[in-house]
Amino acid sequence: METSFQATGHLLDVTINDTGTYTGRLRADGTLYGEGQGVIMSPTGAHASWQGSGVGILSENGSVSWRGSIVYDSDSSEFAALRGTAGVFEWETDPSGKAIGKLWAWK
């Protein structure tokens, strides 16, 4: 299954718009494996691309709880701290598609 999304938030104290696409497949054990890519942009035009992967657990109500890793690439000074850093994330998606997540730098 392939899904595209647009989200807003803050990263490195910068307001961002995040646009991406990910694919997920159901595994024999009932979990999901997902891979995705996208781009974040600030209001000033600074940008970074990202690639990530993770494992999702489906709940009975249709929500999905994701855990995984993400790597960014950027030449923009606003996102310079992302260079050479991997991130780990928690992402919760409710049955309506609303999502909230957290990201930690792993240096």
Side-chain angles (χ1 to χ4, degrees):
M1 180 159 126
E2 184 173 350
T3 303
S4 295
F5 68 90
Q6 292 183 330
T8 58
H10 291 88
L11 183 61
L12 302 173
D13 294 324
V14 177
T15 299
I16 61 164
N17 289 312
D18 186 2
T19 303
T21 299
Y22 66 90
T23 58
R25 69 175 174 84
L26 187 61
R27 302 189 309 178
D29 65 0
T31 62
L32 297 168
Y33 173 74
E35 292 182 333
Q37 63 276 330
V39 64
I40 59 172
M41 293 193 71
S42 76
T44 64
H47 60 278
S49 60
W50 59 264
Q51 291 185 322
S53 62
V55 174
I57 298 178
L58 293 162
S59 73
E60 290 182 16
N61 72 359
S63 63
V64 183
S65 181
W66 291 95
R67 304 294 182 266
S69 63
I70 192 166
V71 177
Y72 292 90
D73 183 35
S74 179
D75 291 334
S76 297
S77 60
E78 286 182 78
F79 299 119
L82 298 174
R83 296 181 200 135
T85 302
V88 292
F89 64 81
E90 293 180 350
W91 200 256
E92 307 294 330
T93 305
D94 73 16
S96 72
K98 183 178 177 182
I100 189 165
K102 293 182 181 180
L103 174 69
W104 294 271
W106 187 10
K107 297 181 181 185

